[in-house]
Amino acid sequence: MSKVIRCEDLYKSYPLGRDNEVVALTGINLSIEKGTLTLITGPSGSGKTTLLSIIGTLERPTKGRVIINDRTVNELSDAALARLRRDTMGFLFQDYNLIPRLPAWENVTYPLIPLGINSSERKKRALQLLEMLGLSHRYTHTPEQLSGGERQRLSLARALVNDPEILLLDEPTSNIDHKTAEKIMQLLRELRENGKSIIISSHDGHLLSEADQTFQLSGGRLVE
Amino acid sequence: MKTMGILTVATANLLRHRLRTFVVVICLVVIITPFVSALALLEGIKKEAMISVQEGADLYVTMDMYGRNGMIPMEVADEIKKINGVLKAVPRVISRIYVEGRLCVLLGIPLDEIEETVKIIKGELPDDGEIVVGRALAKALGLEVGSNLSLGVRVTAIIDHSPFIMKRVYRVSGIFDTDTSIWSSDLILTGIDDAISIYEMEDFVSDIAVYVAPSRLQDVADTIQQMNAYFRIQSKSIAKQYVKRGFNRKGGIFVLLYTFAFILAIPVMLIVSGTGLTERKKEMAILKATGWQTDEVLQMAFFENTIIALISAPASVLISYIWLKLFNGAFIAQMFIAEIENIAPFRIPVQFTFGTFLMAIFFSLIFTLVGSIYSTWRTATTPPAEVLR
């Protein structure tokens, strides 16, 4: 299997005042194969979300390299990174990050706009995904009118709308009931079988059995 | 297709942030409306001035006095009348005069010319020792037909020849309409002899207005010039140029001053456009995280600002139109038309042009862009995770 993502000696720190800094990640080395489900686990504050953000090119590492499909993404321009996200990635954020006061189906379609897809096609794709995730009856509802679980599924629909090669999911099964979590896991299994690479950041122990590989983070370091 | 999609998002954003959109539009309207009103007033006054020039004489003859207009003997008018092609030569006295603390224009012309100059709505044309005044002035000074008005008259003492001003009473024989022109609002019209005596000019007049047959203008001008090298002849086209130049300069100065006012108002605009900025920043970061590029986010912001400008500019023009037409430019006309109170006593001249409308759109757009583009650019170029954190 080919490596879809490689992280080499990754460091990330955030300045805190003039002389201090918070070190979020230290010396991370990992590789993820295409068509696998990878779990990044660890306690709160261990750096899971930071690692996911760096792999997803939402921010740059302080040191080290991230290689996606044999391209070192640290060297890419902001515009190239945006293209990379648009063409190959889908995100599910821990706090959903949905656009408020915008109908559910429109929230799903926004990633398709830069691709130049016409509005009827955008709507069609959005409705298909909402149907698949059991939200079709809520398609005109705004995020404020949805429950936590529904928002999570809506956020997942948006992550899937551009048919990404890599799915980055931050705590995808938190805030939802067991039945819905199982439905989502079934969907993720299908996506994996279709060759998608799925990276999940979670402290949900149930996901361990689903993962092809697991990385445990503690204090910003990988634990063997 | 992509552009249409971004335009749709921009429109949806304005609708989602209704309060912010409303406040920004209101601010723009407040800033742009006086600007549009002033431009419309300037254009209106300019147009009226051009009509006055167009309807006036073909040539104005004065004496050259140090490169400026000097008074000319009245008898020259009779000589000019004899030139082939001259239809009429009217000697005129034009001056500024204070009447009960109010600066007015005194125009003295031959009595038989007065009927062609103004429309008498009350009373009759003046005779010797009589004057006619405009309706606005009559109202301001409480004058009626038959009232007496004292004017300061220059007199030279017989004994020591020292000049002094004495009051002479003139009877108001009629009142003329002032709604037709701003130039006639403070006008006092009298016979040429009375005007000459008021200024003790002894057969000298301010200028001679010459009306010429259409094809003879140049010949007549040349002939007048040959009569006396010190005659100063101004044609209608020169007068038009002066009017245009004067108003363009005024307009230019006004736009410049307003631009400074705009700059001073920018901090206010920044605060207003910053309303709900945290939420806006987050939304832009979401767009960036889901694959939007910086230029696409900026394009969306540009569309938003353009839509706001396209709403604000017509609203400003509409409010300005109501202000100037229905409320006769109350409290603003006085800034552009001298010697009038908060509410003009005559119908103020107003001209809305397509250029005025374009200027309104342009300034609205510049304003909203200046108020928002920097924060948008900053957000669009910041890594999404940093904004979303």
Side-chain angles (χ1 to χ4, degrees):
Chain A
M1 266 192 211
S2 61
K3 308 277 187 215
V4 65
I5 295 164
R6 274 188 293 147
C7 295
E8 293 178 355
D9 201 19
L10 219 54
Y11 282 82
K12 180 68 185 177
S13 61
Y14 299 103
L16 192 72
R18 193 178 292 176
D19 301 318
N20 290 329
E21 61 176 18
V22 173
V23 179
L25 295 173
T26 307
I28 304 290
N29 287 289
L30 60 83
S31 60
I32 294 166
E33 285 174 355
K34 190 176 161 55
T36 59
L37 196 153
T38 303
L39 181 67
I40 300 170
T41 185
S44 289
S46 60
K48 301 189 297 292
T49 300
T50 303
L51 181 57
L52 214 60
S53 291
I54 290 173
I55 292 171
T57 73
L58 296 180
E59 60 186 323
R60 292 173 188 272
T62 310
K63 219 172 88 180
R65 294 202 305 165
V66 177
I67 300 157
I68 296 173
N69 287 333
D70 299 324
R71 288 172 80 190
T72 306
V73 298
N74 314 43
E75 294 160 4
L76 297 178
S77 65
D78 284 346
L81 289 181
R83 269 197 301 275
L84 184 73
R85 285 195 293 272
R86 187 177 67 191
D87 297 337
T88 58
M89 293 182 188
F91 291 88
L92 186 152
F93 298 94
Q94 189 173 3
D95 48 2
Y96 324 123
N97 283 333
L98 294 162
I99 295 177
R101 299 185 297 283
L102 191 71
W105 74 268
E106 285 194 63
N107 255 294
V108 176
T109 61
Y110 271 27
L112 298 177
I113 288 169
L115 296 170
I117 294 167
N118 68 49
S119 61
S120 57
E121 176 61 24
R122 290 200 303 261
K123 191 169 184 178
K124 194 175 133 195
R125 281 204 210 176
L127 293 179
Q128 277 173 353
L129 281 165
L130 291 174
E131 171 85 46
M132 193 168 83
L133 291 162
L135 280 175
S136 56
H137 62 297
R138 296 283 207 182
Y139 83 103
T140 55
H141 290 215
T142 63
E144 296 79 12
Q145 296 166 327
L146 301 177
S147 68
E150 286 170 330
R151 286 184 210 180
Q152 196 132 16
R153 281 180 280 156
L154 179 58
S155 188
L156 184 59
R158 184 181 61 189
L160 293 171
V161 77
N162 58 343
D163 192 23
E165 186 188 336
I166 302 165
L167 261 177
L168 298 138
L169 314 176
D170 199 357
E171 304 287 358
T173 54
S174 63
N175 302 320
I176 52 175
D177 57 71
H178 179 72
K179 199 176 155 192
T180 312
E182 181 46 41
K183 270 174 122 176
I184 285 176
M185 280 318 300
Q186 182 54 39
L187 175 67
L188 295 180
R189 279 181 218 116
E190 285 170 23
L191 290 167
R192 177 176 56 182
E193 278 161 25
N194 290 332
K196 309 287 182 199
S197 306
I198 302 162
I199 304 156
I200 297 174
S201 148
S202 177
H203 56 257
D204 183 354
H206 290 97
L207 295 175
L208 280 169
S209 58
E210 300 285 347
D212 297 306
Q213 58 180 340
T214 302
F215 296 102
Q216 170 108 28
L217 276 172
S218 178
R221 293 171 189 275
L222 277 181
V223 180
E224 291 300 321
Chain B
M1 202 57 73
K2 185 173 101 176
T3 306
M4 277 306 293
I6 294 173
L7 182 61
T8 310
V9 173
T11 312
N13 285 349
L14 294 177
L15 291 172
R16 282 190 307 110
H17 298 277
R18 280 193 191 90
L19 180 64
R20 179 183 174 272
T21 306
F22 179 72
V23 171
V24 172
V25 167
I26 291 294
C27 276
L28 277 175
V29 167
V30 167
I31 294 163
I32 299 292
T33 300
F35 176 70
V36 170
S37 305
L39 287 183
L41 262 170
L42 274 171
E43 281 297 322
I45 298 168
K46 183 176 164 184
K47 187 186 170 195
E48 193 156 301
M50 294 301 278
I51 290 170
S52 295
V53 172
Q54 186 62 36
E55 288 177 351
D58 298 302
L59 298 170
Y60 293 91
V61 184
T62 60
M63 290 296 280
D64 188 303
M65 186 176 274
Y66 306 115
R68 305 187 74 158
N69 293 341
M71 57 187 190
I72 186 167
M74 193 162 73
E75 64 195 28
V76 175
D78 294 327
E79 290 172 40
I80 291 173
K81 278 177 194 166
K82 292 174 193 164
I83 299 169
N84 183 24
V86 172
L87 303 173
K88 201 161 70 172
V90 181
R92 309 189 310 169
V93 171
I94 307 166
S95 72
R96 308 282 274 175
I97 186 169
Y98 276 98
V99 181
E100 295 182 16
R102 191 184 176 103
L103 189 59
C104 301
V105 176
L106 181 90
L107 176 63
I109 50 175
L111 290 171
D112 55 354
E113 288 291 333
I114 291 178
E115 195 171 5
E116 289 182 30
T117 309
V118 289
K119 182 181 156 199
I120 301 287
I121 53 168
K122 229 175 177 181
E124 55 191 21
L125 293 167
D127 211 336
D128 287 337
E130 290 182 334
I131 55 170
V132 286
V133 296
R135 181 160 56 184
L137 188 63
K139 192 180 169 191
L141 300 179
L143 298 172
E144 290 289 340
V145 173
S147 301
N148 289 327
L149 185 66
S150 299
L151 298 178
V153 177
R154 278 189 214 165
V155 180
T156 305
I158 299 168
I159 300 168
D160 62 356
H161 300 286
S162 61
F164 65 96
I165 304 284
M166 66 171 251
K167 292 282 182 184
R168 187 180 293 163
V169 175
Y170 289 84
R171 180 181 172 272
V172 177
S173 71
I175 293 167
F176 59 84
D177 189 9
T178 53
D179 277 0
T180 50
S181 163
I182 60 166
W183 319 117
S184 58
S185 64
D186 279 338
L187 186 66
I188 299 170
L189 207 53
T190 184
I192 187 91
D193 294 332
D194 278 321
I196 288 172
S197 72
I198 286 171
Y199 290 99
E200 210 184 16
M201 295 202 324
E202 293 178 5
D203 296 333
F204 277 86
V205 291
S206 306
D207 63 25
I208 297 166
V210 183
Y211 296 81
V212 183
S215 59
R216 298 280 300 150
L217 189 65
Q218 193 56 51
D219 292 341
V220 170
D222 291 344
T223 309
I224 294 170
Q225 195 66 80
Q226 282 163 14
M227 285 166 62
N228 188 328
Y230 290 104
F231 283 169
R232 187 176 161 91
I233 303 165
Q234 284 165 293
S235 66
K236 199 178 269 185
S237 61
I238 289 173
K240 276 183 188 171
Q241 275 178 27
Y242 284 155
V243 170
K244 269 188 187 168
R245 202 182 299 165
F247 278 100
N248 287 345
R249 194 165 152 263
K250 269 187 188 172
I253 291 169
F254 172 75
V255 170
L256 188 69
L257 288 173
Y258 215 86
T259 305
F260 278 115
F262 274 176
I263 291 165
L264 292 175
I266 281 171
V268 177
M269 206 61 204
L270 280 169
I271 293 165
V272 170
S273 63
T275 311
L277 198 60
T278 311
E279 192 179 311
R280 292 266 302 150
K281 276 182 173 178
K282 194 175 171 190
E283 286 171 19
M284 284 180 203
I286 294 169
L287 294 179
K288 287 280 309 243
T290 55
W292 283 55
Q293 303 211 35
T294 302
D295 62 326
E296 288 157 352
V297 174
L298 291 176
Q299 196 180 351
M300 180 192 74
F302 178 76
F303 283 149
E304 284 176 14
N305 290 318
T306 305
I307 294 168
I308 284 176
L310 288 174
I311 295 168
S312 306
S316 302
V317 171
L318 182 67
I319 292 168
S320 170
Y321 185 86
I322 292 167
W323 189 3
L324 296 177
K325 289 282 187 183
L326 298 186
F327 297 100
N328 205 28
F331 304 103
I332 192 171
Q334 59 186 328
M335 294 176 195
F336 298 91
I337 303 170
E339 308 293 323
I340 62 166
E341 304 292 325
N342 291 338
I343 296 164
F346 52 86
R347 172 72 33 211
I348 57 160
V350 174
Q351 171 90 354
F352 284 93
T353 64
F354 187 61
T356 311
F357 185 66
L358 285 183
M359 285 281 264
I361 292 177
F362 175 74
F363 274 101
S364 300
L365 188 58
I366 290 291
F367 228 102
T368 51
L369 280 177
V370 167
S372 69
I373 208 73
Y374 177 69
S375 58
T376 305
W377 178 80
R378 272 293 297 270
T379 308
T381 52
T382 307
E386 203 174 300
V387 184
L388 292 172
R389 194 173 293 125

